[in-house]
Amino acid sequence: MGRGKIEIKKIENPTNRQVTYSKRRNGIFKKAQELTVLCDAKVSLIMFSNTNKFHEYISPSTTTKKIYDQYQKALGIDLWSAQYEKMQEQLRKLKDINHKLKKEIRQRIGEDLNELSIDHLRVLEQNMTEALNGVRGRKVRSLEERHGNLWMEYEAKMEDPRCGLVDSEGDYESAAALVNGASNLYAFRLHQGHHHHHPNLHLAGGFGPHDLRLP
């Protein structure tokens, strides 16, 4: 009894579909190899599964590039010209953007201004003012964050039972110097379990309480 006729339509079951694809792919590649050997033909097959898995067969006597070149020559077409034109157009656009950006940078540092009209100069001035305000705002926020971190560090040291503020005339100024970012502060001393007293060290030029503010 002969095999029944198989209806050609999409196989809905993914597993069955993958099995059928693998079997028939191998069958096509086997036929391509037979054509290469029996008929001295140049065969190129490129296949992608529905999961985008790539498979290829190329006759040992040729290469994929040679097949493409021979195909273009036989049909009198150029497969790459359209793509090349698109790439050239994209390159021209990128060059224009780069030229405009360089020109804008030069104008922002006071160069190439002679060709600008009064309206363009006003716009440039406004843009630079907004940029300057943004930089200043960021600077103020950074200083405020630094001020807060240093103050928290100072309070944490004050709460540490092992540390205390030296009782002397310059102590408050030294504490203020810590809040304002002094890197070498010697106003703290370590309370030892014995009665050995370390000499007090102070920084010259400390800040007073009126200086505990941001510039």
Side-chain angles (χ1 to χ4, degrees):
M1 184 180 220
R3 296 176 57 186
K5 185 176 180 180
I6 300 177
E7 184 180 3
I8 303 300
K9 66 177 184 178
K10 179 180 178 181
I11 301 174
E12 297 299 333
N13 185 282
T15 302
N16 294 341
R17 184 166 61 239
Q18 181 60 36
V19 171
T20 301
Y21 173 80
S22 298
K23 289 182 178 179
R24 299 208 173 199
R25 180 199 65 218
N26 293 336
I28 292 176
F29 282 0
K30 183 178 179 181
K31 293 296 182 182
Q33 184 180 15
E34 291 174 356
L35 281 172
T36 298
V37 175
L38 295 175
C39 306
D40 194 26
K42 296 180 177 63
V43 182
S44 175
L45 293 176
I46 297 176
M47 300 177 64
F48 288 92
S49 69
N50 67 327
T51 58
N52 289 325
K53 192 172 182 180
F54 170 74
H55 300 91
E56 179 185 26
Y57 173 83
I58 185 74
S59 297
S61 59
T62 187
T63 63
T64 302
K65 183 180 182 305
K66 289 180 179 179
I67 290 289
Y68 285 160
D69 292 342
Q70 190 172 354
Y71 175 81
Q72 292 181 103
K73 184 177 180 181
L75 298 183
I77 61 175
D78 187 349
L79 295 174
W80 314 114
S81 59
Q83 181 65 21
Y84 178 76
E85 288 298 327
K86 290 182 180 178
M87 293 174 63
Q88 288 293 105
E89 179 63 24
Q90 183 67 17
L91 179 61
R92 284 191 290 268
K93 291 180 179 179
L94 291 176
K95 285 183 176 180
D96 290 340
I97 294 174
N98 185 54
H99 176 73
K100 291 178 180 178
L101 289 175
K102 286 183 176 180
K103 186 175 182 180
E104 183 177 349
I105 292 174
R106 290 195 301 270
Q107 290 174 347
R108 284 179 177 266
I109 61 176
E111 300 178 0
D112 293 347
L113 300 178
N114 293 334
E115 61 184 25
L116 295 181
S117 65
I118 186 64
D119 291 335
H120 287 145
L121 289 172
R122 285 180 182 143
V123 172
L124 179 61
E125 181 182 17
Q126 181 180 356
N127 292 339
M128 294 182 67
T129 300
E130 292 175 355
L132 181 59
N133 291 336
V135 172
R136 286 175 174 170
R138 180 54 190 156
K139 178 183 176 182
V140 169
R141 290 193 296 273
S142 296
L143 290 173
E144 289 175 345
E145 292 173 0
R146 182 183 179 190
H147 179 94
N149 292 337
L150 289 171
W151 182 253
M152 291 175 61
E153 180 182 352
Y154 166 70
E155 289 184 334
K157 288 185 177 180
M158 289 298 298
E159 293 175 359
D160 192 336
R162 297 175 302 169
C163 298
L165 196 62
V166 178
D167 296 328
S168 65
E169 184 179 353
D171 293 340
Y172 194 86
E173 293 182 353
S174 298
L178 172 64
V179 176
N180 283 277
S183 59
N184 296 315
L185 179 63
Y186 300 102
F188 294 95
R189 74 180 180 204
L190 181 64
H191 284 294
Q192 304 290 343
H194 49 76
H195 297 287
H196 181 72
H197 181 73
H198 296 279
N200 295 334
L201 298 176
H202 301 282
L203 288 177
F207 295 96
H210 60 279
D211 289 320
L212 287 175
R213 62 180 184 274
L214 289 174

PDB file of all heavy atoms in Angstrom, residues 131-145:
ATOM      1  N   ALA A 131      22.815  77.696  29.937  1.00  0.00           N
ATOM      2  CA  ALA A 131      23.830  76.686  30.247  1.00  0.00           C
ATOM      3  C   ALA A 131      24.627  77.074  31.488  1.00  0.00           C
ATOM      4  O   ALA A 131      24.909  76.238  32.351  1.00  0.00           O
ATOM      5  CB  ALA A 131      24.767  76.501  29.054  1.00  0.00           C
ATOM      6  N   LEU A 132      24.986  78.375  31.600  1.00  0.00           N
ATOM      7  CA  LEU A 132      25.729  78.851  32.761  1.00  0.00           C
ATOM      8  C   LEU A 132      24.914  78.701  34.037  1.00  0.00           C
ATOM      9  O   LEU A 132      25.432  78.292  35.085  1.00  0.00           O
ATOM     10  CB  LEU A 132      26.131  80.309  32.552  1.00  0.00           C
ATOM     11  CG  LEU A 132      26.948  80.962  33.675  1.00  0.00           C
ATOM     12  CD1 LEU A 132      28.244  80.205  33.897  1.00  0.00           C
ATOM     13  CD2 LEU A 132      27.225  82.426  33.337  1.00  0.00           C
ATOM     14  N   ASN A 133      23.619  79.012  33.966  1.00  0.00           N
ATOM     15  CA  ASN A 133      22.751  78.846  35.138  1.00  0.00           C
ATOM     16  C   ASN A 133      22.674  77.384  35.556  1.00  0.00           C
ATOM     17  O   ASN A 133      22.632  77.063  36.747  1.00  0.00           O
ATOM     18  CB  ASN A 133      21.358  79.393  34.845  1.00  0.00           C
ATOM     19  CG  ASN A 133      21.344  80.912  34.721  1.00  0.00           C
ATOM     20  OD1 ASN A 133      22.219  81.595  35.254  1.00  0.00           O
ATOM     21  ND2 ASN A 133      20.363  81.442  34.013  1.00  0.00           N
ATOM     22  N   GLY A 134      22.637  76.496  34.551  1.00  0.00           N
ATOM     23  CA  GLY A 134      22.608  75.075  34.874  1.00  0.00           C
ATOM     24  C   GLY A 134      23.875  74.617  35.567  1.00  0.00           C
ATOM     25  O   GLY A 134      23.835  73.836  36.525  1.00  0.00           O
ATOM     26  N   VAL A 135      25.026  75.106  35.095  1.00  0.00           N
ATOM     27  CA  VAL A 135      26.302  74.753  35.721  1.00  0.00           C
ATOM     28  C   VAL A 135      26.361  75.283  37.146  1.00  0.00           C
ATOM     29  O   VAL A 135      26.776  74.590  38.084  1.00  0.00           O
ATOM     30  CB  VAL A 135      27.477  75.298  34.891  1.00  0.00           C
ATOM     31  CG1 VAL A 135      28.795  75.104  35.632  1.00  0.00           C
ATOM     32  CG2 VAL A 135      27.532  74.616  33.534  1.00  0.00           C
ATOM     33  N   ARG A 136      25.941  76.542  37.332  1.00  0.00           N
ATOM     34  CA  ARG A 136      25.951  77.126  38.677  1.00  0.00           C
ATOM     35  C   ARG A 136      25.015  76.374  39.618  1.00  0.00           C
ATOM     36  O   ARG A 136      25.339  76.150  40.791  1.00  0.00           O
ATOM     37  CB  ARG A 136      25.550  78.595  38.592  1.00  0.00           C
ATOM     38  CG  ARG A 136      26.638  79.494  38.007  1.00  0.00           C
ATOM     39  CD  ARG A 136      26.144  80.917  37.841  1.00  0.00           C
ATOM     40  NE  ARG A 136      27.213  81.802  37.409  1.00  0.00           N
ATOM     41  CZ  ARG A 136      27.024  83.057  37.004  1.00  0.00           C
ATOM     42  NH1 ARG A 136      25.788  83.561  36.962  1.00  0.00           N
ATOM     43  NH2 ARG A 136      28.054  83.799  36.628  1.00  0.00           N
ATOM     44  N   GLY A 137      23.849  75.999  39.103  1.00  0.00           N
ATOM     45  CA  GLY A 137      22.915  75.261  39.937  1.00  0.00           C
ATOM     46  C   GLY A 137      23.486  73.921  40.373  1.00  0.00           C
ATOM     47  O   GLY A 137      23.336  73.505  41.528  1.00  0.00           O
ATOM     48  N   ARG A 138      24.139  73.246  39.436  1.00  0.00           N
ATOM     49  CA  ARG A 138      24.745  71.962  39.777  1.00  0.00           C
ATOM     50  C   ARG A 138      25.870  72.147  40.786  1.00  0.00           C
ATOM     51  O   ARG A 138      26.055  71.327  41.703  1.00  0.00           O
ATOM     52  CB  ARG A 138      25.277  71.280  38.510  1.00  0.00           C
ATOM     53  CG  ARG A 138      25.937  69.941  38.766  1.00  0.00           C
ATOM     54  CD  ARG A 138      25.019  69.006  39.526  1.00  0.00           C
ATOM     55  NE  ARG A 138      25.705  67.817  39.982  1.00  0.00           N
ATOM     56  CZ  ARG A 138      25.325  67.076  41.002  1.00  0.00           C
ATOM     57  NH1 ARG A 138      24.235  67.409  41.688  1.00  0.00           N
ATOM     58  NH2 ARG A 138      26.006  66.015  41.344  1.00  0.00           N
ATOM     59  N   LYS A 139      26.633  73.226  40.642  1.00  0.00           N
ATOM     60  CA  LYS A 139      27.716  73.509  41.584  1.00  0.00           C
ATOM     61  C   LYS A 139      27.164  73.731  42.991  1.00  0.00           C
ATOM     62  O   LYS A 139      27.704  73.215  43.970  1.00  0.00           O
ATOM     63  CB  LYS A 139      28.492  74.734  41.117  1.00  0.00           C
ATOM     64  CG  LYS A 139      29.615  75.156  42.050  1.00  0.00           C
ATOM     65  CD  LYS A 139      30.288  76.414  41.550  1.00  0.00           C
ATOM     66  CE  LYS A 139      31.351  76.882  42.529  1.00  0.00           C
ATOM     67  NZ  LYS A 139      31.981  78.145  42.087  1.00  0.00           N
ATOM     68  N   VAL A 140      26.079  74.503  43.086  1.00  0.00           N
ATOM     69  CA  VAL A 140      25.480  74.770  44.394  1.00  0.00           C
ATOM     70  C   VAL A 140      24.986  73.472  45.026  1.00  0.00           C
ATOM     71  O   VAL A 140      25.199  73.229  46.218  1.00  0.00           O
ATOM     72  CB  VAL A 140      24.327  75.788  44.256  1.00  0.00           C
ATOM     73  CG1 VAL A 140      23.531  75.879  45.553  1.00  0.00           C
ATOM     74  CG2 VAL A 140      24.873  77.161  43.879  1.00  0.00           C
ATOM     75  N   ARG A 141      24.332  72.617  44.228  1.00  0.00           N
ATOM     76  CA  ARG A 141      23.835  71.348  44.773  1.00  0.00           C
ATOM     77  C   ARG A 141      24.984  70.466  45.257  1.00  0.00           C
ATOM     78  O   ARG A 141      24.878  69.804  46.296  1.00  0.00           O
ATOM     79  CB  ARG A 141      22.999  70.620  43.724  1.00  0.00           C
ATOM     80  CG  ARG A 141      21.661  71.292  43.435  1.00  0.00           C
ATOM     81  CD  ARG A 141      20.754  70.375  42.632  1.00  0.00           C
ATOM     82  NE  ARG A 141      21.298  70.078  41.324  1.00  0.00           N
ATOM     83  CZ  ARG A 141      21.116  70.818  40.249  1.00  0.00           C
ATOM     84  NH1 ARG A 141      20.384  71.931  40.321  1.00  0.00           N
ATOM     85  NH2 ARG A 141      21.621  70.462  39.082  1.00  0.00           N
ATOM     86  N   SER A 142      26.090  70.465  44.502  1.00  0.00           N
ATOM     87  CA  SER A 142      27.247  69.662  44.905  1.00  0.00           C
ATOM     88  C   SER A 142      27.827  70.172  46.216  1.00  0.00           C
ATOM     89  O   SER A 142      28.187  69.393  47.105  1.00  0.00           O
ATOM     90  CB  SER A 142      28.321  69.700  43.806  1.00  0.00           C
ATOM     91  OG  SER A 142      27.850  69.111  42.617  1.00  0.00           O
ATOM     92  N   LEU A 143      27.915  71.510  46.353  1.00  0.00           N
ATOM     93  CA  LEU A 143      28.431  72.077  47.586  1.00  0.00           C
ATOM     94  C   LEU A 143      27.512  71.792  48.764  1.00  0.00           C
ATOM     95  O   LEU A 143      27.966  71.515  49.884  1.00  0.00           O
ATOM     96  CB  LEU A 143      28.626  73.588  47.412  1.00  0.00           C
ATOM     97  CG  LEU A 143      29.766  74.017  46.486  1.00  0.00           C
ATOM     98  CD1 LEU A 143      29.743  75.515  46.265  1.00  0.00           C
ATOM     99  CD2 LEU A 143      31.115  73.582  47.044  1.00  0.00           C
ATOM    100  N   GLU A 144      26.202  71.850  48.514  1.00  0.00           N
ATOM    101  CA  GLU A 144      25.252  71.557  49.588  1.00  0.00           C
ATOM    102  C   GLU A 144      25.372  70.102  50.027  1.00  0.00           C
ATOM    103  O   GLU A 144      25.311  69.799  51.226  1.00  0.00           O
ATOM    104  CB  GLU A 144      23.829  71.860  49.110  1.00  0.00           C
ATOM    105  CG  GLU A 144      23.533  73.354  48.965  1.00  0.00           C
ATOM    106  CD  GLU A 144      22.157  73.598  48.374  1.00  0.00           C
ATOM    107  OE1 GLU A 144      21.573  72.633  47.835  1.00  0.00           O
ATOM    108  OE2 GLU A 144      21.676  74.740  48.459  1.00  0.00           O
ATOM    109  N   GLU A 145      25.524  69.189  49.072  1.00  0.00           N
ATOM    110  CA  GLU A 145      25.680  67.781  49.423  1.00  0.00           C
ATOM    111  C   GLU A 145      26.966  67.560  50.209  1.00  0.00           C
ATOM    112  O   GLU A 145      26.991  66.824  51.198  1.00  0.00           O
ATOM    113  CB  GLU A 145      25.694  66.937  48.144  1.00  0.00           C
ATOM    114  CG  GLU A 145      24.352  66.903  47.422  1.00  0.00           C
ATOM    115  CD  GLU A 145      24.456  66.202  46.080  1.00  0.00           C
ATOM    116  OE1 GLU A 145      25.570  65.746  45.732  1.00  0.00           O
ATOM    117  OE2 GLU A 145      23.435  66.126  45.360  1.00  0.00           O
TER     118      GLU A 145
END
